[in-house]
Amino acid sequence: MEYTLLILLLPFLSFLFLGICGKWLSHKTAGTVGTCVLAVVAVLSYVTAYEYFTAPRLADGTFATLMPINFTWLPFFNGSLHFDLGIMLDPISVMMLIVISTVSLMVHIYSFGYMHGERGFQRYYAFLSLFTMSMLGLVVATNIFQMYMFWELVGVSSYLLIGFYYTTPAAIAASKKAFIVTRFADMFFLIGILIYGYFAGTFNFGHIEGGSLVAVGDFSTVLGIDAEAAKYIPVALGLMFIGGAGKSAMFPLHIWLPDAMEGPTPVSALIHAATMVVAGVFLIARMMPLLIGFGAIGGLDVLSIVVWVGVFTAFYAAAVACAQSDIKRVLAFSTISQIAFMMVALGVCTELTTGHHNPGSLGYMASMFHLFTHAMFKALLFLGAGCIIHAVHSNEMSAMGGLRKYMPITHVTFLIACLAIAGIPPFSGFFSKDEILTACFAYSPFVGWFMTAIAAMTAFYMFRLYYGIFWGTENKKLHAEHTPHEAPLPMTLPLIFLAVVTCVAGFIPFGHFVSADGQAYDIHLDWNVAGTSIVIAVSAILLATYIYIGERQPVADAIQEKFKSLHRWAFKRFYMDEVYQFVTHRIIFAYISRPIAWFDRHVVDGFFDFLAWGTNALGFRIRGLQSGSVQKYGYVFFIGILILLGILCLAVF
Amino acid sequence: MIQIEYILIISAVMMFAGIFGFLTRRSTLAILLSIELMLNSADLNFAVFNRMLYPNGHEGYFFAIFAIAIAAAESAIAIAIMINIYRKIKGISVDKLEKMKW
């Protein structure tokens, strides 16, 4: 399957081509080139997936882990440790290939309509290609170091795309914030990688073969690590989780994601909903065998940290999402909440076995399943939001309301996505969320009930958003001035495609492809959990309907009036940005950075300035010696000769 | 026959007159004359040593003639430079020649 290299190479070439020659291309040509390349990549991904999943399983019932390409890129001096580059195909990376190439293709097509006539259209497509290349490289990485390289590339292309409207100060600030926050987390990731490489003696991932922990390639060395070195593996894994938490916007490193909505909406759909932000989840899933095998040595249980960070983030983001008025912000916080669901699902996966008889292993499959379905319906929601913003030229819900009359296709597809995220059968979100809740209940009833409650909040705020956009109070004045219209075909086509995927994706026998130990098993709905979650989701939707459907919303106003301070806190995102502002500006900048800057400017710079000044002053003093008058030189020369002659005479006689 | 010491004394006087003139005169023309004086004293030495010490050889004469030719060419260049200096600073005194200082 050497052709998988093309999946990475084609977007990269398209990036180079559009980036270098874009200036001389028309918008239409540039967009067509980008989209065609992505279409080829998508087809190649599907072919890869088809070949991979139809190939016969190994004797132990798992899919083989293939490495079509793998070469040593940078060997270390001692030779046992080396950086490799290559392509690794296993069930989750193949699944990610499908997710990324599909969403990216949809976004490419959609951008034709959304970015129509924008300045820098070619640059936009070049950056999209770069992002797609980096993300695909990240998921097929053969080792953690290659993953880190593409991880950073993803961060850079995200930075470029958030700051696409580089003349807007808000976009520049948002892109810097996103880059700095994720980069800060990546520092821990890098330290984790280095600790892992040092103590494990390899940068490769671990995986399961024949029921025992082995690593891809030369992992036999890991099995041989002594108990002393094994103590450091959980530390490394914990640091890696911080990196993953930064990319996946887990509390308290989530602050960049809502601001990242300053970028163009299709970019939000691709990067900040479907692909990049799940990189952290993917990382944890990749390290899963190690987390289970080594995660709890030395009094540090990384998996339970993952669970509690995830639970808190899911709750926090859902609470904030209930009070936001900017539709993209609502979607951003719902993304954070949903990613936290995936994190929790991974955290509650405590054993690598198969099937509903062993609920401890359910989380892995549930998380990957939710990643898959969420990518589709969240991309759909964002693209739908893009159509709405395109129609009313505002992100605020106050400019919307009653749009169902004007935009029927957007309305229906948006409703489908809302139902999916709320967890209503038969839409895809129901199945994946149900698996997560089952896994949570198996872990602990508290986590199970808590996550169910958050699922209810999800349903509530999504339908608050839905009613706020398509029903509710219509901004008649604005709509009379500028009648909203349905988006053009390139924009509605991806909506329809993704809506169809959202309707059918739940029926994919996902357990046959991805499971904790690679064995095939049938997803089995636990009707206790499923029934509860359906009842709760439906009642949350009904509550949202009761409050928000009408032209006038007395209940909503009354609640807002009654819990005024709570509403303000939630609207201000519980002042997390202000806390960061305070900590960075008032404490770190004022008490650490400023004194260091003063020291640098006055002591270090001062010393070198003094040296330069001294040399200069000395030169000024003695420049009179170099008079330029040949006669003076001759005079000195003559005296010198006389002195030498004198010495010579003294020496001779 | 004139003794070699007399000629060498004349040569030494010429040399030191040249050095004195070179160091003390302010006019570039006078400096050039002083340089010529030094050169001529050296030429005189060449000639007299050849004549008195190696009567059969001719190298000293040749060298003296060669030096005279070089000195003539050099004077031509020096006077050309002086004319240019005169055009720039309306004078040929080295005191005023500060264009290329520092």
Side-chain angles (χ1 to χ4, degrees), chain A residues 1-5 47-52 66 68-69 87 89:
Chain A
M1 296 171 96
E2 275 73 25
Y3 60 83
T4 44
L5 183 64
V47 171
T48 310
Y50 181 77
E51 275 197 30
Y52 184 79
L66 301 178
I69 295 161
I87 289 177
L89 298 177

Side-chain angles (χ1 to χ4, degrees), chain B residues 51-72:
Chain B
R51 171 86 173 76
M52 299 293 177
L53 301 183
Y54 306 99
N56 299 325
H58 297 93
E59 289 88 345
Y61 302 139
F62 289 146
F63 215 95
I65 291 170
F66 194 65
I68 289 167
I70 295 283

Side-chain angles (χ1 to χ4, degrees), chain B residues 36 38-48 60 63-65 67-68 71:
Chain B
E36 291 297 321
M38 287 189 270
L39 277 171
N40 284 346
S41 83
D43 291 346
L44 197 57
N45 277 7
F46 277 124
V48 77
F63 215 95
I65 291 170
I68 289 167

Side-chain angles (χ1 to χ4, degrees), chain A residues 623 626-627 631 634-635, chain B residues 22 25-26 31 94 101-102:
Chain A
R623 69 176 180 171
Q626 182 111 18
S627 63
Q631 282 173 314
Y635 192 66
Chain B
F22 178 79
R25 301 309 295 262
R26 289 286 166 261
I31 292 171
V94 284
K101 215 172 180 180
W102 298 324

Side-chain angles (χ1 to χ4, degrees), chain A residues 8 133-141 146-147 150-151 154 279 282:
Chain A
L8 293 192
M133 189 277 288
S134 342
M135 193 66 209
L136 291 167
L138 192 158
V139 297
V140 297
Q146 184 190 353
M147 195 170 176
F150 283 98
W151 183 277
V154 164
F282 180 78

